Amino acid sequence: MFQRLPNASGERVSFTIDGRPAEALSGDSVAAALFANGVQTCRSTPVSGAPRAPYCMMGVCFDCLVIIDDVGNQQGCQVRVRPGMRVETQNGKREIAR
Amino acid sequence: MTTRYDLAVIGAGPAGLAAATLAAKRGVSTVLLDEQPAPGGQIYRAITQTPVRNPSVLGSDYWHGADLVGPFRDSGADYLPGSTVWSVSRGLEIGLSREGAARLLPAKHIILATGALERPFAIPGWTLPGVMGAGAAQILLKTSGLVASGNVVLAGTGPLLWLLAWQYLRAGARIDTILDTTPRENWRQAMPHMTEFLRSGYIGKGLKLLLEVRRKVKVIGNVSALRAEGDGRVQSVVHRQGDGAEARLPADTLLLHHGVVPNINLANAIGCAQNWDEGQRCWVPTVDDWGATTVEGVSIAGDGAGIAGALAAEHRGRLAALDALHRLGRIDRAERDRDAAPHREALDRAQRGRVFLDTLYKPARDFRVPQDDTIVCRCEEVTAGQVREAVKLGCSGPNQTKSFLRCGMGPCQGRLCGPTVTEVIADARGVSPAEVGYYRLRPPVKPITLAELASLPKSEDEINAVLHH
């Protein structure tokens, strides 16, 4: 669980998480934006289906993989959230053509 | 844009910024490539745009990063943020992806400034949502002004753990408990290095920070075992103090930290020789006093060539840049050595006290060599027990266990399991990690899609080589 510091400044960005409307700050990565919106699990693993969440926030662990604008296996911590972005949590392996 | 740069620097942390700035100011055509959207690396992450405007929260050491970014902007170096470098060929051609397209960028000399990553801290349950690196939490604070809420437990050892705690308190965030895993015997081993540490710049700042955190947060010391538990996410942390009984703390967030190790993936894939550093217990690329690797035309500056901290990284960046100027034929040896003198002095000062910190904060064996039921490879979900079984079957090093178990074969390419796997195999065989070795990594060091590869510009010769072979 993460919360925003009350005096954190920035422009608001509207996007969606699994189809639901959500809001982030302009400098947020997708992974940070998920935390800011109370999303605690971003994917399940292809090996055992175990739930995972972002772990390193710097592009090395690949636990923050999500589907962004219909493209799977995106590192959520390496992509900045953009207005209108469609973020989806990813279950198991990346699907073909997604 | 120049087609072949004299110098390409990879990574925009303190080492990369300082190296690129010095080289470009001296007239060398320079490009700085960085995976992040803004300069600073991890230590100065979001330095130009953090939403945390109150400077006392992140502290003056953080804001020093701005002193590096200004001169870099004025240096004349080209800057390509958002670039993921996935290979460097022996011909010094850099393969990179940017905005969904791949390209090859040739350079005459390359400085890797790929920095450090948190040492993997494999405990049972560390894959549960709600468990993350203390460094990761710090990145969330710097980039987004986000702090963990609910029951927050920090566990581990090392300067960054205490710094994060201090920053959290400054920000008004709450920490329930710090589980300090610093082994008691480390103090005895660190004592001989105390005098040098007392002469370093760390002592005053470090003590003040430690005391402030200890005054405000409950610290449980000498923690010898840790386990994260929960259904679908972390709910509690089970810990043991010394030989004592297990105790349980409620936790919504568990932040783990056991120091940092060099991020060696790119250097390793280029073929740079590396050696085991017994003091820092990690693999380090083999470099000379200037950061030059065993591969012609490739140097490493900063923590990527062994952990020495952010200030040292700057100076190491400048030294590597001066050596690059020399190798590019811009300055002779005498000028290089003369200009390097102040940076060498500054580097010596910045490194003072490092051995004390390395010795004091060396994680205990039981954490570096986890028990059988602990997942070591997060990607392929391979446990320490499976690695030990493979050793019994005759696997002598990480490349064999990788073939047997897929351990280290996932998207992180061993970044989160490599150091642990080396230690587990070494322990099981009763030999030094130096003898066990490390993964032989190959490009691409970051996943790249076929579409990105297909977008590479091709010469007529290359097309003919494939079509008419």
Side-chain angles (χ1 to χ4, degrees), chain B residues 184 221-225 238-247:
Chain B
R184 287 245 168 91
N222 203 26
V223 170
S224 59
V238 180
H239 60 283
R240 183 199 298 274
Q241 218 180 349
D243 299 329
E246 282 191 343

Short mmCIF file of all heavy atoms in Angstrom, two decimals, chain B residues 184 221-225 238-247:
data_model
loop_
_atom_site.label_atom_id
_atom_site.label_comp_id
_atom_site.label_asym_id
_atom_site.label_seq_id
_atom_site.Cartn_x
_atom_site.Cartn_y
_atom_site.Cartn_z
N ARG B 184 26.41 -9.21 14.54
CA ARG B 184 27.19 -8.62 15.64
C ARG B 184 28.69 -8.70 15.37
O ARG B 184 29.43 -7.76 15.65
CB ARG B 184 26.88 -9.35 16.95
CG ARG B 184 25.51 -9.01 17.51
CD ARG B 184 25.59 -8.28 18.85
NE ARG B 184 24.29 -7.71 19.21
CZ ARG B 184 23.39 -8.35 19.94
NH1 ARG B 184 23.64 -9.56 20.40
NH2 ARG B 184 22.24 -7.77 20.24
N GLY B 221 17.53 -5.49 16.65
CA GLY B 221 18.86 -5.78 16.12
C GLY B 221 19.19 -7.26 16.08
O GLY B 221 18.42 -8.09 16.58
N ASN B 222 20.32 -7.58 15.45
CA ASN B 222 20.85 -8.94 15.41
C ASN B 222 19.83 -9.94 14.86
O ASN B 222 19.73 -11.08 15.32
CB ASN B 222 21.30 -9.36 16.82
CG ASN B 222 22.32 -10.47 16.77
OD1 ASN B 222 23.05 -10.61 15.79
ND2 ASN B 222 22.37 -11.27 17.82
N VAL B 223 19.07 -9.52 13.87
CA VAL B 223 18.06 -10.40 13.28
C VAL B 223 18.77 -11.45 12.42
O VAL B 223 19.58 -11.12 11.56
CB VAL B 223 17.04 -9.60 12.45
CG1 VAL B 223 16.15 -10.52 11.62
CG2 VAL B 223 16.19 -8.72 13.37
N SER B 224 18.48 -12.71 12.69
CA SER B 224 19.22 -13.80 12.05
C SER B 224 18.39 -14.59 11.05
O SER B 224 18.93 -15.39 10.29
CB SER B 224 19.75 -14.75 13.13
OG SER B 224 18.66 -15.28 13.87
N ALA B 225 17.07 -14.42 11.08
CA ALA B 225 16.22 -15.12 10.12
C ALA B 225 14.97 -14.28 9.84
O ALA B 225 14.47 -13.59 10.73
CB ALA B 225 15.82 -16.49 10.66
N VAL B 238 7.90 -12.78 9.80
CA VAL B 238 8.38 -13.61 10.90
C VAL B 238 9.89 -13.42 10.99
O VAL B 238 10.58 -13.49 9.98
CB VAL B 238 8.02 -15.09 10.67
CG1 VAL B 238 8.51 -15.94 11.83
CG2 VAL B 238 6.52 -15.24 10.47
N HIS B 239 10.37 -13.16 12.20
CA HIS B 239 11.80 -12.91 12.33
C HIS B 239 12.32 -13.57 13.60
O HIS B 239 11.55 -13.93 14.50
CB HIS B 239 12.07 -11.40 12.39
CG HIS B 239 11.39 -10.72 13.53
ND1 HIS B 239 10.05 -10.41 13.51
CD2 HIS B 239 11.84 -10.32 14.73
CE1 HIS B 239 9.72 -9.84 14.65
NE2 HIS B 239 10.78 -9.77 15.41
N ARG B 240 13.62 -13.73 13.64
CA ARG B 240 14.26 -14.33 14.79
C ARG B 240 15.46 -13.47 15.15
O ARG B 240 16.19 -13.01 14.29
CB ARG B 240 14.72 -15.73 14.42
CG ARG B 240 15.36 -16.52 15.55
CD ARG B 240 16.19 -17.67 15.00
NE ARG B 240 15.42 -18.64 14.23
CZ ARG B 240 14.79 -19.67 14.78
NH1 ARG B 240 14.82 -19.86 16.07
NH2 ARG B 240 14.14 -20.52 14.02
N GLN B 241 15.61 -13.21 16.46
CA GLN B 241 16.72 -12.39 16.93
C GLN B 241 17.78 -13.32 17.50
O GLN B 241 17.51 -14.04 18.46
CB GLN B 241 16.22 -11.44 18.02
CG GLN B 241 16.84 -10.07 17.96
CD GLN B 241 16.33 -9.16 19.05
OE1 GLN B 241 15.36 -9.48 19.74
NE2 GLN B 241 16.98 -8.02 19.21
N GLY B 242 18.97 -13.33 16.88
CA GLY B 242 20.03 -14.22 17.34
C GLY B 242 19.55 -15.66 17.35
O GLY B 242 19.01 -16.16 16.37
N ASP B 243 19.70 -16.34 18.50
CA ASP B 243 19.23 -17.72 18.64
C ASP B 243 17.84 -17.78 19.28
O ASP B 243 17.38 -18.84 19.67
CB ASP B 243 20.20 -18.53 19.53
CG ASP B 243 21.58 -18.59 18.93
OD1 ASP B 243 21.67 -18.57 17.69
OD2 ASP B 243 22.57 -18.64 19.70
N GLY B 244 17.22 -16.61 19.40
CA GLY B 244 15.93 -16.53 20.10
C GLY B 244 14.80 -17.21 19.35
O GLY B 244 14.99 -17.81 18.29
N ALA B 245 13.60 -17.08 19.93
CA ALA B 245 12.42 -17.69 19.33
C ALA B 245 11.90 -16.80 18.20
O ALA B 245 12.23 -15.62 18.13
CB ALA B 245 11.34 -17.86 20.40
N GLU B 246 11.07 -17.40 17.33
CA GLU B 246 10.49 -16.63 16.24
C GLU B 246 9.46 -15.66 16.78
O GLU B 246 8.75 -15.95 17.74
CB GLU B 246 9.83 -17.57 15.24
CG GLU B 246 10.81 -18.24 14.32
CD GLU B 246 10.13 -18.94 13.16
OE1 GLU B 246 8.90 -19.18 13.25
OE2 GLU B 246 10.83 -19.26 12.18
N ALA B 247 9.38 -14.50 16.17
CA ALA B 247 8.34 -13.53 16.51
C ALA B 247 7.72 -13.03 15.21
O ALA B 247 8.32 -13.13 14.15
CB ALA B 247 8.94 -12.37 17.29
#
